[in-house]
Every structure is written in C-alpha cells, then in structure tokens.
Amino acid sequence: MKLAMGPILYFWSRDEVFGFYRDLARLPVDIVYLGETVCSKRRTLTLADWQLLAERLANAGKEVLLSTLTLLESESELRTMRRIVNNGGFAVEANDMAAVSVAAQAGVPFVAGPHLNSYNQATLELLAELGAMRWVAPMEMSRETMVGMQERRPSGLQTELFVYGRMPLAFSARCFTARNRDLPKDECGLCCADYPEGMQLATQEGEQFLVLNGIQTQSGRICNLLREIPDLAALGVDVVRLSPRSRRMEEIVEVFHQAVTGEGVTQELYDRLVHGEREEQCNGYWFGEAGMVVRE
Amino acid sequence: MKQIELICPAGSLPALKAAVDSGADAVYMGFRDATNARNFPGLNFDADGARKGIRYAHERGVKVLLALNTFPQPGSWEHWCKAVDQAATLGFDALIMADPGLMRYAARTHPGMRLHLSVQGSATSYEAINFYREQFGIQRAVLPRVLSFAQVRHLVANTEVEIEVFGFGSLCVMVEGRCTLSSYVTGESPNTCGACSPAKAVRWEEDASGRRSRLNGVLIDSYGPGESAGYPVLCKGRFQVNGRVDYAIEEPTSLSLLDHLPELLQAGVTALKVEGRQRSPAYVRQVTRVMRQALDACLADPENYRPAGEWVAQLDRVAEGTTHTLGALDRAWQ
C-alpha cells in the first residue's frame, strides 16, 4: 500500500508551499498531488512553479501528479485546466469531467479525483476506458460500498482512499471567507491567506462543526482512518491519501508510514497521531454512518 | 421566435395536475424511492401513479420528465437499472440523470430515450457538458447554480446541448452533486439517498428562551420568542465564525429570476426550471401561474418586459425565507 499527499487545500504563501514540499521530499510519501484545486484567484504559484516542484519531487523518487481545479466556471479557468492537463510530463488528477474529457482526448493518464462521484463499477469502467490509472473514492464512501467496488473494479485500475485530514465536503460559487469579512468575492484581498488551516465555524453552542476555506467547506473534525489501514490493505486499496496540514505533517506522515509498512496499528501509534490535537477525529462515513461520527 | 420552456415540479398527482393546468410546458417527477434527489416520505410516484400522470399531461400537450438523478452503488445498481428500464416502458419524454455509469447503461439499453444531464451531474462548463453529449448523447443539461449571467451566455454559445436553468425555488448554495454536508451530519446526502437535511434527523426544542432546531443533535439555529423559524437546512443556519453569530453560509432565501427573463432569452437558454417537488400543489399552482404569465409577457415583448408587482408579491409569499435572490448569477452574491 502506498502513501499519497493530496493537494494543499489552503492558501499558503509561496515560501510556505516551497518549504512544505522541500520537507516532503525527504519524507516517506510515495505519491504527491500538486496544484490549486479550490480557487483560481490563488495564483502565487504559476504552472511553471508547480512543474519545478514536480521535478524536484520526482527526482526525490516520488510519483507526482498535477491536480486541476474542482469547480470550473470561467473560460480562463478552462484554459488553465487545459494547460495543466497538457503539461507534457506529469500525469494529472482530474477533478471535474471537463478535465477528464481533455485528458482522454490528449491521451494523458489521469487519476479520477474524489469529487467526480465514482460510486459504481460502470462509472469506473468508463473512467478506465478514458485513461484513468486510479480513482479516488468519494468522501462519503462506506466500507460496504468499497467492498463492492473492489470486487468488480476494472483490472489495472488502482483505488485510492482519503484517510487523514479535514474532508472537503462542498464547493460553492460564493466565497465564505470573504463573506465573513464583509468583502465582495471580486475584491476578496485573498483574505483566506490569513487562515492556514481554514476558518473555524462553530454552532451557537460552541461545537466545532465545519471549516470554511474560501469557496470550499470542510469537515470540522479530522477524518482519521489510521486504525483501518490493515483492513484497507486486505480490501486491496492501493493508495491512502493524507491531506496537507500547516503543522505536524512530518509526524503524521511517519505514523501513517509505519501503519502501511508495519504489522498493525497499535494504540501507541494512534495516540502519537492525535496527541496534542485540539480537533476531534471522525470516521463515520467508513462505517456507513454520518461522516462526523466517531466510531471507537 | 425564440421560446423558453417552463419546467415545473410534480411531487404528487395533484401537484402534477396543478402544474399542467397552470401552464407548464413540462413537469418532472421521481419514483417513490432513492433513485431521485427528492426522496421524501409521502412524495413521488409508483408506476401506476406515473402512468396516470403521464396520461393527464400528454392529453394536454405537456411533457413529463423523470428524475433518476442519484448515484447507484454496487449494492443498489440493479435497482437503479430496473428504474431506467421501467421508465422506458412508461413513456416518459426524457430521463434526467447524473450518474455516468447509469447514463451509459441507459444510452446503451434504450438508445431512443432522450437524456437530460441533471443538475446533480455538476457540469458547470461547456467542456463538461459536451463530454456528456459525446459519451451518452444528452440533449439537455441543467446548470448548477454557480454561474454568473456572463458565464451562462458563454456556456450556451459553446455547446449544442440545450441549457436549462433554475428560475425559481429554494436556493442550493453549493455546487449540486458536490455537496456532502448533509451526509456528514445525518448519514444521508442527495447523491446517495436523494435527501438533504432529512426530516427524520430534525428535532425541535422549545422553552421559555425560544426555539432551537437540531439536525442529528447539531444545533442549526435558535430563535427568540416570537421569531419565525424555518426548516433547518444545514447550510442556512446561524453559526459562529470569528466571534460573530450569523448566516455564515446563506440565509433562508429563494432563487427568483423573474426580473431577468429577457437576459435568459437573449442568452439562448432553452428551459426554466421551478424547484419544489417537496412543496404543496397550491405552491406549484401559484408559482406555475406567475411564471407562465411572466414568460408569456417576456416572449411577446422582451424589450419592454417588466415583472408585475403582484407577481413578485405572489412569489415572495411562497418563497423560502419570504425573500428572493439571484444567487450566483449576480456576482455580488458570490
């Protein structure tokens, strides 16, 4: 089983992004997804910058993919998506059917991203015929559904599951970060840069509920399927995905590395992962329950 | 002359008749299970009801569309395929679908069947819509409520697929088909169960300080004594962000394009959809009647079209939150 680092979902500075991947190059991660998947206004890195990072990480032995924007609205966003798909070197993570279409036409191998709604074998067959090398399960996929998917997935198509981080749950035309700051989206001042792990949204009772990340809404709780790693391996899941955080990433990677290469997941390992975290963890989706639920 | 079809919701046979009698060009319905995105108790049609509804509509020259727009999973795949097969024998004018695998099944098994891409298909660009056209021969796509007027115009100009937009009804704030907030809280989402913020997860509490609405235990909103309270759709509650309690995502409000019909006509939009299969026949009658009058006025003389004050008032009375917005069509909303 391989370990993947998903795309950075937050808006970090150029230095922070370069620093993050400089550290990641020497960490035991097998696959790295690069690029902006949330908001096209976040342009501190150009495609050339991402390609430079991709080359560095590839030289460090990683499988590198360039990810495309999830919500495509304007012609300029389509143009950027086409440039990413036709980058000439790296495979891509297609996060919208528009990107699947462009990749299929160009013969570029792609990973079918987590928001393409791959819920059944027929959809997997279609994606595989179009050139998908791997599919990422939707956030809400349960173990039961995954068993069915794995039983009849097309041969050669790898399976990837999101196992750690705040889950991206929704996308909108509206920017909720700018809304909170009373700024129009067109003059947002890139205020999401002030929130390296998003803006916390709590209920009126103070319960940590969701996280606002520009046009994206994330789970308030951290999806944590560390304990399920041995089961995922038994189900033939090929890749598990971690989602970038602004701190403790090295330790998180090491814990998961130990889990995917080791003999099992001990309580000690689990405690090491959650130690010092303020956020609650959750794993409900995997057990067919509400996503926010914590199943011990 | 250019036309815009009026597509109205039919959650029940009385609602279907109300829509047909009030001037709908087409109605849309779902089967009585999770194969459609309004899987609510007491709503929708079995085969016999569908047959009656189709006969009633067809006798009056009105089309009937079937929403089969949720995503089947391995355990339910056969059931969804049977729903497609059944739809083909019942004589619907088109199927509204979202799942790529199921669309492929429908296109291969029933090649004569007209397919529409559901809003749940999340196709927000001509590139995505043209993909569904090439793969499954879709004739029409319903746009997610995320594009501005300029973006809708540009999209229409770059596809031969007919474009349908939402004209009135509850406003989905997120890209349809890409929102799992509901299942995060309740275990049921539009994609998998055809439900958002399902009624069975709702709990109301009332005491001297007022009322509180909860969804699977999570506090969605609280209301002071006498304050009017709405259904706890989870993205339309009041939450704390940065020390401020507010409608952080969206307030209870409806989408209404009544004021902007000439722009839609000019953009080349083919059809205007009214949301609300979960609403009463009286709602369907009221909204259909107003939208029919408005469309007729607009089609007759688009340059001088002005919505009548009474239309706006009538729609606002039945709207969620009793106010209306253009949603993402207006950049300022975004």
Side-chain angles (χ1 to χ4, degrees):
Chain A
M1 186 186 274
K2 289 184 173 175
L3 200 52
M5 186 64 70
I8 296 171
L9 301 178
Y10 308 107
F11 186 43
W12 296 348
S13 73
R14 193 184 159 81
D15 284 352
E16 283 161 341
V17 172
F18 274 83
F20 181 84
Y21 290 114
R22 190 169 51 240
D23 295 342
L24 197 66
R26 56 178 180 75
L27 294 179
V29 162
D30 306 291
I31 301 166
V32 184
Y33 294 88
L34 294 176
E36 177 58 48
T37 60
V38 177
C39 180
S40 60
K41 297 177 77 177
R42 299 169 172 178
R43 284 185 296 244
T44 50
L45 270 75
T46 63
L47 178 56
D49 289 327
W50 290 115
Q51 284 172 302
L52 176 69
L53 284 171
E55 277 155 26
R56 285 182 188 167
L57 288 160
N59 289 336
K62 317 291 188 199
E63 176 192 331
V64 184
L65 299 99
L66 299 179
S67 297
T68 67
L69 198 67
T70 307
L71 171 56
L72 296 162
E73 295 162 323
S74 69
E75 187 63 42
S76 71
E77 289 165 353
L78 286 174
R79 270 198 300 272
T80 303
M81 177 274 287
R82 292 186 194 109
R83 284 174 58 219
I84 293 169
V85 174
N86 294 304
N87 72 83
F90 297 96
V92 297
E93 180 189 42
N95 285 315
D96 182 90
M97 279 303 182
V100 169
S101 180
V102 173
Q105 280 166 32
V108 173
F110 67 91
V111 170
H115 307 292
L116 289 187
N117 288 335
S118 308
Y119 283 101
N120 54 62
Q121 177 208 6
T123 296
L124 293 189
E125 279 167 8
L126 171 71
L127 291 166
E129 285 167 28
L130 292 168
M133 53 197 259
R134 184 155 69 232
W135 70 288
V136 188
M139 293 299 138
E140 59 182 357
M141 185 155 287
S142 67
R143 182 184 190 280
E144 186 189 346
T145 301
M146 181 61 90
V147 169
M149 299 295 276
Q150 292 296 80
E151 273 171 9
R152 286 179 289 177
R153 72 174 146 157
S155 66
L157 185 73
Q158 298 176 345
T159 298
E160 178 170 336
L161 183 70
F162 187 104
V163 297
Y164 183 84
R166 286 190 201 86
M167 294 178 282
L169 298 176
F171 296 81
S172 176
R174 171 177 274 178
C175 176
F176 304 110
T177 309
R179 175 177 169 84
N180 180 263
R181 302 270 287 253
D182 293 322
L183 295 168
K185 184 181 173 193
D186 288 339
E187 292 150 54
C188 67
L190 298 171
C191 57
C192 55
D194 295 341
Y195 307 93
E197 292 215 8
M199 193 182 247
Q200 309 275 344
L201 179 151
T203 68
Q204 292 181 44
E205 294 172 318
E207 182 189 352
Q208 188 40 242
F209 180 33
L210 300 170
V211 164
L212 303 176
N213 173 38
I215 65 140
Q216 184 185 66
T217 306
Q218 302 181 333
S219 62
R221 293 180 177 170
I222 306 278
C223 167
N224 182 343
L225 296 181
L226 178 71
R227 288 191 178 114
E228 311 312 315
I229 296 285
D231 184 39
L232 299 179
L235 290 176
V237 171
D238 304 278
V239 178
V240 291
R241 174 180 294 208
L242 315 179
S243 193
R245 303 192 60 183
S246 62
R247 55 200 175 80
R248 288 189 67 234
M249 207 69 239
E250 182 170 346
E251 179 144 43
I252 294 164
V253 167
E254 276 166 8
V255 166
F256 275 93
H257 174 67
Q258 207 167 312
V260 298
T261 54
E263 290 295 301
V265 178
T266 60
Q267 185 62 37
E268 187 193 351
L269 195 64
Y270 188 84
D271 290 344
R272 198 178 143 200
L273 179 64
V274 301
H275 176 74
E277 289 292 343
R278 278 178 304 132
E279 291 89 351
E280 288 185 61
Q281 319 282 301
C282 66
N283 56 12
Y285 276 140
W286 184 247
F287 296 102
E289 298 181 34
M292 67 179 184
V293 163
V294 194
R295 181 72 96 80
E296 287 300 327
Chain B
M1 192 176 82
K2 281 197 255 180
Q3 288 290 344
I4 295 183
E5 279 180 36
L6 180 60
I7 318 290
C8 294
S12 64
L13 198 54
L16 179 144
K17 289 179 175 172
V20 169
D21 296 346
S22 306
D25 295 305
V27 296
Y28 63 104
M29 63 163 74
F31 285 142
R32 193 167 281 175
D33 56 26
T35 58
N36 78 94
R38 288 286 185 281
N39 178 25
F40 298 164
L43 218 60
N44 298 320
F45 292 78
D46 58 19
D48 193 43
R51 232 175 256 122
K52 284 184 186 138
I54 291 169
R55 195 183 315 127
Y56 188 87
H58 281 178
E59 281 171 4
R60 288 156 184 82
V62 173
K63 291 181 189 142
V64 185
L65 319 177
L66 180 76
L68 257 169
N69 56 350
T70 49
F71 294 80
Q73 302 182 39
S76 55
W77 173 254
E78 306 293 335
H79 181 74
W80 263 248
C81 290
K82 279 188 192 135
V84 171
D85 297 340
Q86 188 173 44
T89 65
L90 284 170
F92 285 101
D93 295 283
L95 302 188
I96 309 169
M97 303 178 74
D99 184 73
L102 196 66
M103 268 190 274
R104 176 182 256 195
Y105 172 82
R108 286 181 174 175
T109 317
H110 307 284
M113 177 67 82
R114 182 180 161 97
L115 301 182
H116 292 185
L117 180 64
S118 168
V119 70
Q120 298 298 126
S122 318
T124 57
S125 69
Y126 63 84
E127 192 86 68
I129 288 167
N130 291 342
F131 168 82
Y132 286 95
R133 170 92 166 172
E134 285 153 26
Q135 292 295 323
F136 318 116
I138 62 160
Q139 306 277 335
R140 182 179 294 181
V142 187
L143 293 187
R145 282 158 275 192
V146 294
L147 301 181
S148 67
F149 273 116
Q151 288 164 344
V152 171
R153 270 196 300 277
H154 183 67
L155 186 151
V156 172
N158 283 281
T159 182
E160 58 179 19
V161 176
E162 297 171 1
I163 296 301
E164 180 171 320
V165 301
F166 278 89
F168 187 83
S170 289
L171 177 69
C172 222
V173 185
M174 307 299 181
V175 186
E176 293 89 339
R178 291 211 183 121
C179 178
T180 53
L181 290 173
S182 178
S183 62
Y184 180 65
V185 179
T186 71
E188 297 195 353
S189 73
N191 282 359
T192 54
C193 301
C196 171
S197 309
K200 65 183 180 195
V202 172
R203 204 173 79 232
W204 287 96
E205 294 169 353
E206 189 157 15
D207 57 27
S209 65
R211 305 173 78 188
R212 287 175 295 280
S213 58
R214 293 184 188 276
L215 203 57
N216 199 14
V218 174
L219 183 65
I220 301 301
D221 211 339
S222 62
Y223 305 89
E227 191 181 357
S228 70
Y231 186 88
V233 177
L234 74 92
C235 60
K236 292 172 182 169
R238 279 176 288 196
F239 302 106
Q240 293 184 50
V241 182
N242 275 341
R244 167 171 154 183
V245 175
D246 205 350
Y247 294 107
I249 298 173
E250 176 60 311
E251 42 221 277
T253 181
S254 280
L255 176 78
S256 176
L257 305 194
L258 191 66
D259 299 345
H260 295 266
L261 300 182
E263 283 107 305
L264 297 177
L265 188 66
Q266 197 215 351
V269 165
T270 300
L272 195 66
K273 183 169 215 140
V274 173
E275 186 274 349
R277 282 192 285 136
Q278 73 283 15
R279 304 290 299 264
S280 68
Y283 165 92
V284 173
R285 181 174 293 108
Q286 178 79 288
V287 177
T288 305
R289 192 178 288 155
V290 170
M291 295 308 279
R292 179 77 272 157
Q293 290 174 47
L295 270 177
D296 286 347
C298 172
L299 294 168
D301 185 6
E303 313 220 320
N304 295 304
Y305 169 81
R306 295 277 177 285
E310 67 196 56
W311 300 343
V312 180
Q314 281 168 14
L315 290 186
D316 276 354
R317 263 203 298 281
V318 296
E320 181 188 3
T322 69
T323 61
H324 65 265
T325 170
L326 281 178
L329 287 163
D330 175 16
R331 287 293 295 189
W333 178 91
Q334 302 190 13

